Amino acid sequence: MLRILRYLKPYAALVAAALALEFASSMAELSLPAMMAVIVDEGVAAGDVPLIWRTGGLMLIVALAGVIANLTGGFFAARTAMGFGKSLRSKVFSRVSSFSLRELDRFGTSSLITRTTNDITQVQQVAFMMQRMMAKAPMMAIGGIAMALATEPKLAWVLLIVIPIMAAAILLIARRGLPLFKSIQTKIDSLNRVMRENLSGIRVVRAFDRVEHEKVRFDEVNADLTATTLKVNRIMAFIFPFVTLMMNLTTVMIVWFGGRDVESGAIQIGSLMAFIQYATQIMFAVVMVSVIFIMVPRAQASAERINEVLDVDPEIVDPASPVRPEAPKGRVEFRNVSFGYDGAAEPAIRNVSFVAEPGTTTAIIGGTGSGKSTILNLLARFYDVKDGAILVDGVDVRDMAQEDLRSGMGLATQRAVLFSGTIAHNLRFGRDGASDDDLARAAAIAQADGFIAGKEGGMSAELAQGGINVSGGQKQRLAIARALAREPRIYLFDDSFSALDFKTDARLRSALRKETTEATVIIVAQRVGTIRDADQIIVLDEGRIVGRGSHAELLASCGIYGEIVASQLSAEEAV
Ligand code: ADP
Ligand code: MG
């Protein structure tokens, strides 16, 4: 918790102002009962009307000043807390943006979302409450006791009994609730996870008739969260009635014992009234202190979760003095590269070496799980290699600035991802400066111009979030067009042609060939037809290169390639 408060530093002046204002408003509140006692005991008793007026006027001014201090203090505290939350959110966001995929895998998307939203809100609320109470609660408690003793020392023993009982009881209640607060946050994570999975997999859920099953799954985490929250609130609900009861009992005690002294003339009535008010103020302060004791640990759980994210040292960072290849052409070289994912028993790729020259097309083919996407992930440096090295234009990718490395690449991922916004907005994603003509050309090469023209508004047609209002094949073509619009030196197509029909696939490839005479093209594909005219075909099997060469060479030399070709030919013959 304390560590996270360092992000409050830019607001130090505002925080100080808020605390000072709360301090001032406490002083005002503390002085009012004493003035009232003066009016009653000295003014009314002696019939001194001017004194009543003077003191009354002063009370009015002090009360007004107190209210103003309180309001502005609250205003400053709110500004600070909201600004604090905002800067925390942007810190977490930019830290997460710099995560490698391995680090993202570690936290999980849902938990990262909860941490950026709900957890930060918790901490932000506490930052607000702390500013309002941290100065006020001790001030009111100590000041209240001092004032009560000054007005009526004879009744002080009442406070001596009541305050410890109250503090102990509240802390006892809070201790039972605290562990539950911590578990609430992880339960919110689970709720988000189930919700997310259900939404992103809605088609599968429906197709497999698992709607009921998913409902049950959701109900379980939902009920779990509800039960815990209810339990916490049931425990915490005791505090308020208990405090009210104690306050009233205290008042009764003071009136009971103080009343006799008033009768005997030992205590004046105004002082008795003031004492009752001070007792109330003190107890209120005790409540505030307890609330701080409850809220801080609660926010602590959230603060820890936020710190976990902020503490990650991104594994993939730019080197201190990045090397820039001179005259970059886009030559790619893998030298004995091996890599395994965290938690996987087997490495995903082993000893992979190949060179992809500018102006040529390299195809990678192999069964699912053979490591094809992994090769592209490593080349784009989403992960770092375990062994060996990847060189782009002769420079190790780890020695380059990530931006330099990736700005030369146009990647169309296996699952095409589009963003909400217009088609043009999506195509410009890779290059802001792309002209309308550039976009039109990219779309034409990607064979996307036809269906774009068919959409209402053409290029300015809106895509829904995740691009759900276009078909799978259309999505792929838009993703290809987006890579083309970037005009990169290295094209990476990860199974980007799989959802295209044979005719579109062939047309796209011949248009692409004309466009990419200078560039390095790496195509991952399942279909032999897509890659048979590539300059170099690499056959992967369980992470190893088992064949390399042209289509004809591989047919003659590589058994696995032969099998792939045979299986697909027979499949085509069968139809
Ligand atoms: P391909 O693209 O050829 O189908 P991948 O390169 O995606 O295969 O995967 C290679 C292997 O690595 C597979 O065994 C897969 O299960 C594993 N793998 C892929 N991504 C991850 C990941 N994020 N975490 C753990 N294992 C992974
Ligand atoms: Mg893949």
Side-chain angles (χ1 to χ4, degrees), residues 125-158:
Q125 269 172 6
V126 170
F128 175 71
M129 300 296 280
M130 292 271 279
Q131 290 178 76
R132 306 233 55 194
M133 293 181 176
M134 222 170 63
K136 188 154 197 165
M139 181 62 203
M140 294 295 284
I142 298 167
I145 291 172
M147 293 298 280
L149 289 181
T151 36
E152 222 29 273
K154 279 204 262 337
L155 289 172
W157 60 271
V158 177

Side-chain angles (χ1 to χ4, degrees), residues 105 341-342 348 367-374 383 414:
D105 293 348
Y341 291 98
D342 279 351
T368 47
S370 58
K372 306 183 296 293
S373 300
T374 306
Y383 297 92
Q414 187 160 10

Side-chain angles (χ1 to χ4, degrees), residues 165-195:
I165 293 181
M166 197 154 133
I170 292 177
L171 287 181
L172 220 66
I173 297 174
R175 265 236 322 247
R176 293 199 42 207
L178 274 181
L180 295 173
F181 279 127
K182 295 194 180 181
S183 70
I184 285 183
Q185 293 311 115
T186 44
K187 287 181 190 193
I188 294 178
D189 275 356
S190 313
L191 190 81
N192 277 353
R193 185 168 38 77
V194 174
M195 187 72 191

